[in-house]
Amino acid sequence: MNFKRYLPFLQWAPQYGRNQASSDLVAAVIVTVMLIPQSLAYALLAGLPAHVGLYASILPLMIYAIFGTSRTLSVGPVAVVSLMTAAALAPLAEAGTPEYLAGAVLLAVISGLMLTLMGILRLGFLANFLSHPVISGFITASGIVIAASQLKHILGVQASGQNLLTITQSLIQSIGAANIPTLLIGAGALLFLMFSRKHLKPLLVWCGVETRLADIITKTAPILAVVVTTLAAWLLQLDVQGVQLVGVVPSGLPELTMPPLDWELWQQLAASALLISIVGFVESVSVGQTLAAKRRQRIDPDQELIGLGTANLGAGLSGGMPVTGGFSRSVVNFDAGAKTPAAGAYAAIGIALATLFLTPAIAYLPQATLAATIIVAVASLIDLPALKRTWRYSRADFGAMLATILLTLAHSVEAGITAGVLMSMGLYLYRTSRPHSAVVGLVPGTEHFRNVLRHDVELCPEVTFLRVDESLYFANARFLEETVMALAIRKPETKDLVLVCPAISHIDASALESLEAINDRLKDAGVRLHFSEVKGPVMDRLKDTQLLSHLGGKVFLSTFEAWQSLTNSCINSASG
């Protein structure tokens, strides 16, 4: 067994030295400072007690350092997965109840089992069923829903809802009961964080601060907002004035937790866990591959499934929630100079220390501050201009993207992502069921063949060259039959038909039968069927069939060879 394949830390640990350790420690400190408010905020977004977010940022980070392949990916609670967790658990239990927390733990465990099994079976390709427009639309819509769901904490009102419509309606009904001190804290924190994200770094650089240090200070701005508002809530006793605080947070490290063994509950959460697994994996791998490319490194998607799966198992067994690789944290980790996954393990130690010694102070943290942190974090996820770009390039992809956005906003995250996946697969089947094909001719003075409708080419009336630009399988086999026979009817002078195959990389059993039927029908019409430029693997499979032995014509290595062999009559008549 290749242990380095399943235990990637064995690849970097033997060469781990002082230089890597110092870089990883610096990055870990910065990420820890950023991760504490994010973990608390995303736990609340999922409808869970704040400390659950901290628990989900300890053991998963440790485990990913062992099983993950990305050197800089930071694993933990993220906004979209937290929203999906809340949506999955809302129909089953009341937020904040023991049953709700047990459901979150079970959701992490099921997701972990699914991801790990998919990794062992090397099923990373399944994530490809989520097209980029669908993912972009889903994340954009989720960002809008997340931001809207946090406005109740900014206003200090009671509101609920699982989509934009119900959230907006609930906010409008309760806006008259807004709490002024809460609004001042939430709006103040929101404005400060927005200013920090756009203008703090240029301001610091203008004041003479070194660029990298200014960047680090800017990324840790949420901690300043947390410290200031926590002190204000403690000194001014804002809880007495109706400001909602995080409240008592248990101190100490998380204890090992067994998920509920209720089989019916497992069945109820299985579909949601699968969606969370796939969305989390796609987001994580996208971030990991982007950062790895910048250092000419690579990640293994199948091993990433195992890394994320075991991380989620660790989250569930330590009383946490579903986790995945976070974009903002990973970028900060990368920019701060992290060299190995050990940076994540060091950050986990920092979070563990926070749970041991900082929880009394966290109790005075206003929920409005965490809401502002979430709103600013998800603002970068919203990409409405992508709609315009997609519309210009592909109307079909735009339709899938728009459907995903609208269903996510108006119904639920599960409906949005499910519709997007189904539409993506449906569009793929539709496009490939009607493959592009073209009659081609010889470009004068060359050995190249091009579409007769786009170029001035040489033709031979008795020989037709048909190029098919798609692999052949059950969905387009009948379409190919109709195309070839229609061409034979339209050009009755044809004696030879050459199927030009450079784009055909696969022929399934249904398509093979169609090719056999085409060969037989053309024979009956006095036309010989030929192939050219057949790929090696396709040819290997065709040799094991009856098609080649019954073929009316030949198989040519190149289309130009077929032209030279079959168009003598045209060439002779032209020269005569």
Side-chain angles (χ1 to χ4, degrees):
M1 178 184 289
N2 184 4
F3 288 102
K4 290 185 177 180
R5 152 87 168 83
Y6 293 102
L7 297 172
F9 83 98
L10 294 176
Q11 299 174 15
W12 55 265
Q15 292 82 36
Y16 195 69
R18 182 177 298 176
N19 291 335
Q20 293 97 325
S22 60
S23 298
D24 287 345
L25 281 169
V26 171
V29 171
I30 296 170
V31 170
T32 299
V33 170
M34 182 181 184
L35 188 54
I36 291 173
Q38 280 195 355
S39 298
L40 297 169
Y42 293 148
L44 292 178
L45 173 61
L48 297 163
H51 67 272
V52 173
L54 295 176
Y55 291 174
S57 303
I58 300 176
L59 192 55
L61 279 167
M62 294 281 194
I63 293 176
Y64 182 82
I66 298 173
F67 294 100
T69 61
S70 172
R71 300 294 179 96
T72 53
L73 191 69
S74 179
V75 173
V78 300
V80 173
V81 170
S82 297
L83 177 65
M84 296 180 73
T85 299
L89 298 177
L92 303 179
E94 186 74 23
T97 61
E99 292 78 14
Y100 193 94
L101 178 57
V105 167
L106 181 56
L107 204 54
V109 169
I110 298 175
S111 179
L113 291 173
M114 288 179 172
L115 287 166
T116 303
L117 182 60
M118 289 168 64
I120 294 172
L121 298 177
R122 305 183 73 84
L123 299 180
F125 69 90
L126 291 176
N128 297 332
F129 288 114
L130 284 174
S131 68
H132 179 73
V134 167
I135 284 291
S136 176
F138 174 70
I139 291 177
T140 291
S142 297
I144 294 172
V145 173
I146 289 169
S149 70
Q150 296 308 296
L151 291 178
K152 64 182 180 182
H153 298 300
I154 300 290
L155 296 171
V157 298
Q158 296 293 323
S160 60
Q162 295 299 317
N163 57 59
L164 185 62
L165 296 180
T166 56
I167 291 172
T168 302
Q169 182 181 11
S170 183
L171 285 172
I172 292 174
Q173 293 174 347
S174 59
I175 195 169
N179 181 270
I180 300 303
T182 301
L183 180 59
L184 291 174
I185 289 177
L190 186 60
L191 291 173
F192 169 72
L193 293 173
M194 292 173 63
F195 171 83
S196 299
R197 172 160 292 201
K198 291 186 177 181
H199 306 294
L200 183 57
K201 180 180 177 180
L203 179 61
L204 291 172
V205 172
W206 181 78
C207 293
V209 179
E210 194 267 330
T211 302
R212 185 180 179 188
L213 179 59
D215 189 53
I216 292 173
I217 294 173
T218 300
K219 287 183 168 64
T220 57
I223 282 293
L224 180 58
V226 167
V227 171
V228 171
T229 55
T230 300
L231 285 173
W234 176 54
L235 295 173
L236 302 177
Q237 297 184 344
L238 294 181
D239 54 327
V240 179
Q241 302 179 43
V243 176
Q244 294 294 316
L245 307 179
V246 169
V248 177
V249 177
S251 61
L253 297 176
E255 298 179 356
L256 291 180
T257 305
M258 286 298 296
L261 301 178
D262 184 349
W263 176 240
E264 183 178 349
L265 185 59
W266 281 64
Q267 291 178 307
Q268 290 174 325
L269 292 177
S272 297
L274 180 60
L275 289 176
I276 289 173
S277 300
I278 295 176
V279 171
F281 172 64
V282 170
E283 181 179 356
S284 181
V285 167
S286 299
V287 176
Q289 288 177 332
T290 300
L291 297 180
K294 292 183 178 182
R295 293 182 179 174
R296 298 192 178 185
Q297 299 169 347
R298 64 177 297 274
I299 65 173
D300 180 353
D302 291 316
Q303 182 59 31
E304 280 299 289
L305 283 167
I306 296 176
L308 292 173
T310 51
N312 273 281
L313 285 172
L317 296 177
S318 60
M321 56 188 285
V323 298
T324 193
F327 176 76
S328 58
R329 292 195 304 272
S330 299
V331 171
V332 169
N333 197 37
F334 180 91
D335 291 342
K339 301 298 183 184
T340 72
Y346 298 151
I349 295 174
I351 299 295
L353 292 174
T355 62
L356 288 172
F357 303 112
L358 297 182
T359 51
I362 293 174
Y364 288 93
L365 174 60
Q367 293 186 14
T369 303
L370 295 179
T373 302
I374 292 175
I375 291 173
V376 172
V378 301
S380 61
L381 303 178
I382 300 172
D383 186 13
L384 293 177
L387 282 166
K388 185 177 181 180
R389 295 194 300 269
T390 307
W391 168 263
R392 287 179 174 177
Y393 185 76
S394 171
R395 304 296 167 83
D397 287 332
F398 171 82
M401 185 178 186
L402 184 62
T404 302
I405 291 176
L406 293 178
L407 277 171
T408 302
L409 293 178
H411 191 274
S412 64
V413 292
E414 291 92 345
I417 195 67
T418 301
V421 171
L422 293 177
M423 286 194 67
S424 293
M425 296 176 64
L427 289 171
Y428 171 78
L429 289 173
Y430 175 76
R431 283 194 291 256
T432 56
S433 69
R434 304 176 64 84
H436 178 266
S437 60
V439 175
V440 296
L442 180 66
V443 178
T446 73
E447 297 182 4
H448 300 290
F449 290 77
R450 293 292 183 268
N451 191 333
V452 299
L453 301 179
R454 294 176 178 268
H455 303 271
D456 292 326
V457 294
E458 295 180 11
L459 299 172
C460 178
E462 296 178 356
V463 184
T464 299
F465 293 84
L466 178 65
R467 190 190 70 219
V468 180
D469 299 330
E470 185 67 65
S471 291
L472 303 178
Y473 72 118
F474 65 90
N476 59 26
R478 182 73 64 179
F479 182 80
L480 179 64
E481 287 185 47
E482 295 172 355
T483 300
V484 171
M485 298 316 299
L487 186 61
I489 294 171
R490 192 168 69 249
K491 302 182 68 175
E493 68 277 14
T494 299
K495 295 181 179 179
D496 294 278
L497 191 146
V498 181
L499 206 59
V500 184
C501 310
I504 298 175
S505 58
H506 176 70
I507 298 176
D508 74 356
S510 298
L512 176 64
E513 290 189 7
S514 290
L515 289 174
E516 292 172 343
I518 290 170
N519 181 57
D520 292 339
R521 291 177 187 175
L522 289 178
K523 274 185 181 179
D524 293 341
V527 179
R528 294 182 298 176
L529 175 65
H530 308 268
F531 297 108
S532 72
E533 301 186 38
V534 180
K535 293 182 181 294
V538 176
M539 193 66 188
D540 291 341
R541 299 190 68 179
L542 291 181
K543 287 178 179 178
D544 295 330
T545 70
Q546 298 296 316
L547 175 63
L548 298 184
S549 61
H550 296 156
L551 190 64
K554 300 179 180 179
V555 179
F556 295 97
L557 182 64
S558 69
T559 306
F560 185 69
E561 180 186 336
W563 172 272
Q564 289 180 312
S565 175
L566 301 175
T567 60
N568 288 327
S569 58
C570 295
I571 296 174
N572 293 334
S573 62
S575 61

